[in-house]
Amino acid sequence: MSREILLTVYSPGGADPVFGCVWDFLLGTLEHTLKGEQTVKGGYSTHGGDIIVACHSTKSLINVWSLSKGQIVCRLSCPGRITALQCSRDGVYCIGAVSEKIYVWQLHSGKLLAVLLGHYQTVRALQFSDDGTMFLSGGDDNLVCVWQTASVLSSAALNETSPPAHVWSSHSLPVTCIHCGFGGVRSRVYSCSIDQTCKIWEMSSGQLLSSLTFETGVTTVTTDAAELRLFVGLITGDIHQVNLHKQFTLQLVRVLELFHALVFCV
């Protein structure tokens, strides 16, 4: 029988060497305290229900935790301090950023499969699509890159480099977070930035669908399961909710008004 758990993760700077806590979601009781090194924002990822992969906040290490046991079961050595980390949902691949480089590992063996160069400054955000066929990266160079997993792996096997499928450069300041909706290559992508905007993209075409502006820099973005509501976290600590259905309806109305105006002018 499956159960729901809640994971809370600590940021660096705490007095105790605690990575996080595992709670029973329904009862609200503490099950495990994860003792060990703290991680950085965007430096951890869960998969398989029992495994969490997290990078060390100061060392070149990736720790693999068992949530049921409450302890580290494996450590991976990295070429430098990890600045962003993400696993595919099936737990096969792990991607991590060291400065501007992106590394792709086979998680169960720890084998390095590919090294990617698509950014000019430190990568701060990584995200897989729901089916693992694509992944995205965002960094301090204001760019969001879209990568095809199969193309990256096949090119690396031939000692060749694989360029991004798309490079989005609409943000004017560092990208802080990326969220990918459902639908694989047909999904929508949500990126946010210190430039006070959250942008919505179409994965397949690379087209920018919408740009939402807030009163201050945006640090985190996500949606509900149906992608009807967008949630963003701001630098100030505030959380904003946006009705996406209403947002796109208003955009459609504006397009129709423009169309009718053009027809009238003709």
Side-chain angles (χ1 to χ4, degrees):
M1 180 178 178
S2 62
R3 63 188 181 90
E4 291 184 304
I5 62 171
L6 175 68
L7 174 68
T8 56
V9 178
Y10 290 81
S11 298
D16 299 323
V18 177
F19 167 67
C21 296
V22 180
W23 308 79
D24 186 296
F25 186 78
L26 295 178
L27 300 177
T29 55
L30 178 64
E31 292 193 355
H32 297 293
T33 298
L34 306 179
K35 298 287 186 179
E37 303 87 349
Q38 295 175 343
T39 188
V40 298
K41 179 183 180 296
Y44 63 94
S45 177
T46 60
H47 74 85
D50 184 54
I51 296 296
I52 180 170
V53 180
C55 66
H56 195 290
S57 61
T58 59
K59 299 179 181 178
S60 304
L61 289 174
I62 294 177
N63 297 320
V64 181
W65 294 80
S66 168
L67 295 182
S68 60
K69 297 179 181 179
Q71 63 185 26
I72 297 173
V73 294
C74 180
R75 295 180 189 268
L76 301 177
S77 179
C78 306
R81 188 174 66 85
I82 297 290
T83 56
L85 187 70
Q86 187 68 210
C87 291
S88 58
R89 291 197 176 191
D90 57 10
V92 175
Y93 302 114
C94 176
I95 51 176
V98 177
S99 190
E100 74 278 4
K101 294 182 180 180
I102 301 172
Y103 293 81
V104 184
W105 290 279
Q106 187 178 52
L107 188 57
H108 77 275
S109 67
K111 180 181 179 181
L112 179 63
L113 302 177
V115 181
L116 305 176
L117 293 173
H119 290 269
Y120 306 99
Q121 295 184 43
T122 301
V123 174
R124 302 291 183 184
L126 292 169
Q127 183 68 54
F128 268 103
S129 63
D130 61 329
D131 60 0
T133 59
M134 312 288 287
F135 62 90
L136 303 105
S137 58
D140 288 349
D141 52 7
N142 316 338
L143 299 178
V144 176
C145 295
V146 183
W147 308 85
Q148 293 179 330
T149 306
S151 177
V152 165
L153 296 178
S154 60
S155 296
L158 299 173
N159 293 321
E160 299 175 353
T161 58
S162 175
H166 301 295
V167 178
W168 299 329
S169 57
S170 293
H171 285 296
S172 58
L173 287 173
V175 176
T176 53
C177 185
I178 300 171
H179 174 70
C180 187
F182 291 96
V185 70
R186 299 180 182 276
S187 62
R188 288 178 178 172
V189 176
Y190 307 83
S191 63
C192 63
S193 168
I194 300 298
D195 66 6
Q196 303 180 213
T197 68
C198 176
K199 299 186 184 296
I200 305 174
W201 311 83
E202 185 178 65
M203 174 92 79
S204 58
S205 66
Q207 179 183 359
L208 177 63
L209 301 177
S210 183
S211 182
L212 308 176
T213 303
F214 299 88
E215 63 268 23
T216 186
V218 187
T219 60
T220 307
V221 60
T222 190
T223 65
D224 62 359
E227 295 183 59
L228 296 176
R229 292 179 176 84
L230 178 77
F231 301 91
V232 297
L234 307 183
I235 289 178
T236 57
D238 295 329
I239 298 175
H240 285 216
Q241 174 183 301
V242 179
N243 187 326
L244 291 177
H245 177 73
K246 181 179 180 181
Q247 181 72 22
F248 283 109
T249 299
L250 289 174
Q251 287 187 348
L252 179 59
V253 170
R254 294 191 186 103
V255 170
L256 291 176
E257 288 176 346
L258 178 60
F259 175 75
H260 285 302
L262 290 174
V263 171
F264 179 78
C265 290
V266 173

